[in-house]
Amino acid sequence: MSIWSKLDSSLTSIYLDYLHERDRGVAAEPRHHPMVPKDGRLNGAIYFSCDLAEIEALGFETTSRAPSGSASGDIHLSDLERLASHPAVVRIAYGREPKPLLDASVPDINVRGKIWTLTGSVFSGFTGAGVIIGVIDTGIDFSHPFFRDLANTTRILRIWDQGLQDGVDGKAPDKSLLEDPNGKTYGVEYDDKMINAAVQGTSKVVVHRDCNGHGTHVASIAAGNGQDKYQYVGVAPQASLVVVKYLYLDNAAPVNEEQRFRDAVCYILNTAAKLGKPVVINLSVGDSIAPHDGITVSEDFLTNKFAGATGQAFVAAASNDAGFMQYHKGAVVSKNQHARVTFGAGGGTAEIPIELLDVRTDRMEYNHCVGQDETGSLAFRFYYPNGKTINASVQLPDTTAFIAGPLLDGTPKSDAFSGRRYELRHVTETVPRHGLPNFKRNLFQFIETPNNAKEHYQGMYTLKIETTDAFEGHLYCSQSRGDFRIDDSAGLADNVAIEERFLIGSYGGAANILTVASYSARSGDARPVAVSSSRGPLASYDGPAPPAKPDLAAPGVKVTAAHSKFAIRTTCKPNTVEMGGTSMATPHVAGAIALLLHKKGTLTNAEIITALTTHIRTDPAPVAEEVGKGRLDAKDAIDHLP
């Protein structure tokens, strides 16, 4: 196995840029990779099958260690090849930060007036009281009235902002709350006393902000109490909240992305255990160009973390990668983000045109509370089964020749074109799994990086795949507000099928969690599936049979909930804003679980999943790839608890 097959995609790009700048000078590069550290050091996750001391002897400085075969630590990029060359090293990763997945809904799932009632300003029934809803997202507007009770006391028990640094009022979280109790602590934690002091105006100690607004909206759907006119009340209006700011940090956290995610989950679970309360965690984020087979290190972590759990549950969004997208010229076209490519006996050739329509010049965002450009690299990825062989090449826009990609596990190719840079990578991906053999699949990847003017290169990029083997592979294109799109305007080869299937985002493929699709509660009894809601099933690359996903659906179209005062929104009422997506459907399920746990806090995770997927609305008749077992019916589920 070559060193290149051991590096994840993010770390490969970082290392290639490091090598280019080291050998050619910074001035010769089209654009400096934002994650290449000035001192050449970064924090990575390493997976190994030997004594950790052997890895540390090669320059790895451990900051935290997971229970089985992995650790996070500081790596100098000059030591990276030496570390990757150790035969016991399986994988070294930096990780890829995911993105957020963007009145009538609560009554539609049979909660308001059926599980709890509201008389004036007094709630009664099962309201989620005594249960914690954990939210891993963009943070929360802790001062919003929807998160306070009648006594003006916060219902937010903890906020852990992973991007605040030492010197900010507050304190770092206790190490015992993270994955490795002996590991590195980071960020700033605020407890309910600090939050109350800030809310009630006796202190300005809390400097945490949610400038994107996604996390505030999600938390409000799950647990907001609608405290003004009580019009926009969440599903579990008396549940408590523990919030981790995981996305759009003010400052980069000193640990890799994979470790930050595991720490976020462990922090919420351990905080709930310390407080003696049952807990459900909501994750409304994802990565749309993951392999979509449910086999990633984070999904493996979730599968094992919640196996056999009691009083604990986890809910993830299915993602929003189906349907249509709006381009800069106003033409509405299908997303065409995914294609299934099939080769029969004897193999064959597939040429797939992939168009980049959106230049995205000076893409300014305010997710980090200050205006900054967030234009990033674009990619398309072709995943196929390990043990098969392909030759892959890419034709750049305005050219006629194809650039041959590297052979499997060969050195990546990276070069400049028209002031941009491209990268071709072809590797065996090895995924370490808890208690199971490592899983392998193959990946061919193309990355285009914008120039210093922050412009991508528009035009047609053509992927050519040639093989003598029979197999099925999947092509995925990165998309946000345009980006890459598979072009079918002139038709495609018979073995290339654009499908709005196999689109469940990363995290959502884990077993032992609930993955949520989206439907509209504003269309009467029809309850149509949202056009953008990602469809299943999970992909398979000759591996173990994946779990059926999504599990169920909840309202996620035009949902009104809390608006963060720090977020820029042009169409919002003073306290609320309308948003949509599986991000909004997921907290409906998280809130429903809080109601179940209010009634019976000792429910096992398996009992929770069974209750919500067995006692469920099946009219209209569910299509499994769209809504799993059906549409959420919290009342039927709570009435049939064991």
Side-chain angles (χ1 to χ4, degrees), residues 612-634:
L612 289 174
T613 58
T614 302
H615 303 287
I616 195 163
R617 182 181 284 116
T618 55
D619 182 20
V623 176
E625 291 181 1
E626 296 179 347
V627 299
K629 297 293 186 180
R631 293 160 175 79
L632 176 64
D633 187 336

Side-chain angles (χ1 to χ4, degrees), residues 354-356 378-380 446 461 477-479 482-485:
I354 302 168
E355 190 169 14
L356 201 169
L378 303 178
F380 51 80
F446 172 85
Y461 298 71
C477 301
S478 63
Q479 293 183 336
D483 306 353
F484 281 123
R485 172 184 178 270

Side-chain angles (χ1 to χ4, degrees), residues 75 106 173 197 214 256 308 357 399 410 429 443 461 467 522 525 640:
I75 301 169
V106 174
H214 187 272
N256 61 82
L357 295 178
T399 65
E429 286 194 332
L443 165 67
Y461 298 71
T467 184
R522 295 176 175 269
D525 292 338
H640 290 88

Side-chain angles (χ1 to χ4, degrees), residues 279-281 302-316 507-516 547-553 589-590 592-594 596-597 600 602-617 627-634 636-638 640-642:
V279 60
V280 53
I281 299 176
L302 291 174
T303 294
N304 286 275
K305 196 68 177 176
F306 290 90
T310 297
Q312 299 176 340
F314 192 97
V315 188
Y507 305 105
N512 303 321
I513 72 167
L514 286 167
T515 304
V516 186
K549 295 290 179 175
D551 294 284
L552 74 168
V589 177
I593 292 173
L596 302 187
L597 289 170
K600 187 176 180 181
T602 57
L603 286 171
T604 66
N605 181 52
E607 289 172 332
I608 292 168
I609 291 173
T610 298
L612 289 174
T613 58
T614 302
H615 303 287
I616 195 163
R617 182 181 284 116
V627 299
K629 297 293 186 180
R631 293 160 175 79
L632 176 64
D633 187 336
D636 195 35
I638 204 169
H640 290 88
L641 288 181

Side-chain angles (χ1 to χ4, degrees), residues 426-503:
H426 192 186
V427 296
T428 302
E429 286 194 332
T430 301
V431 185
R433 295 183 295 166
H434 291 78
L436 294 170
N438 294 340
F439 175 72
K440 294 183 179 182
R441 62 179 164 257
N442 294 345
L443 165 67
F444 179 82
Q445 175 176 266
F446 172 85
I447 297 177
E448 184 265 8
T449 300
N451 58 17
N452 284 326
K454 300 150 190 170
E455 295 177 335
H456 293 286
Y457 197 84
Q458 283 181 293
M460 196 71 70
Y461 298 71
T462 302
L463 170 65
K464 181 191 291 185
I465 302 166
E466 300 170 289
T467 184
T468 57
D469 293 329
F471 65 87
E472 179 177 283
H474 294 270
L475 170 66
Y476 294 98
C477 301
S478 63
Q479 293 183 336
S480 178
R481 295 181 180 176
D483 306 353
F484 281 123
R485 172 184 178 270
I486 301 167
D487 178 56
D488 60 347
S489 59
L492 294 168
D494 291 341
N495 62 338
V496 179
I498 294 175
E499 295 181 333
E500 291 187 347
R501 303 169 63 233
F502 306 102
L503 289 173

Side-chain angles (χ1 to χ4, degrees), residues 263-327:
D263 280 343
V265 174
C266 292
Y267 172 82
I268 295 172
L269 295 180
N270 291 333
T271 298
K274 188 175 182 179
L275 296 173
K277 297 178 182 291
V279 60
V280 53
I281 299 176
N282 187 100
L283 184 74
S284 289
V285 307
D287 182 354
S288 63
I289 57 170
H292 296 80
D293 60 355
I295 306 177
T296 64
V297 291
S298 293
E299 286 164 318
D300 181 69
F301 167 77
L302 291 174
T303 294
N304 286 275
K305 196 68 177 176
F306 290 90
T310 297
Q312 299 176 340
F314 192 97
V315 188
S319 193
N320 307 313
D321 294 326
F324 301 93
M325 63 196 318
Q326 182 79 28
Y327 281 111

Side-chain angles (χ1 to χ4, degrees), residues 66-229:
S68 59
S70 68
S72 289
D74 293 331
I75 301 169
H76 197 286
L77 291 173
S78 61
D79 295 326
L80 186 59
E81 290 192 41
R82 181 169 54 174
L83 284 163
S85 296
H86 192 292
V89 170
V90 176
R91 179 175 181 268
I92 307 177
Y94 180 77
R96 175 180 162 92
E97 184 177 79
K99 299 295 182 184
L101 299 173
L102 295 197
D103 59 290
S105 62
V106 174
D108 188 76
I109 63 173
N110 290 328
V111 169
R112 188 167 184 167
K114 296 184 179 181
I115 295 179
W116 52 256
T117 57
L118 176 63
T119 305
S121 59
V122 178
F123 291 96
S124 59
F126 297 111
T127 60
V131 179
I132 288 174
I133 297 178
V135 178
I136 301 174
D137 214 292
T138 64
I140 191 169
D141 178 358
F142 61 87
S143 65
H144 199 289
F146 286 11
F147 306 122
R148 294 181 249 165
D149 61 22
L150 289 174
N152 200 33
T153 301
T154 186
R155 292 189 294 117
I156 306 171
L157 301 181
R158 299 288 187 276
I159 298 173
W160 178 28
D161 191 319
Q162 293 186 332
L164 294 180
Q165 297 179 334
D166 293 341
V168 175
D169 290 330
K171 58 188 177 75
D174 192 286
K175 290 183 178 181
S176 65
L177 300 176
L178 307 185
E179 183 183 37
D180 180 2
N182 299 309
K184 186 174 187 175
T185 187
Y186 54 97
V188 171
E189 177 192 55
Y190 299 104
D191 62 23
D192 51 342
K193 293 180 181 179
M194 298 175 184
I195 299 168
N196 269 326
V199 167
Q200 295 165 8
T202 60
S203 169
K204 295 183 179 179
V205 67
V206 180
V207 297
H208 166 82
R209 297 173 294 176
D210 175 15
C211 293
N212 175 274
H214 187 272
T216 298
H217 199 265
V218 165
S220 176
I221 294 169
N225 61 15
Q227 187 169 267
D228 53 5
K229 299 178 181 178

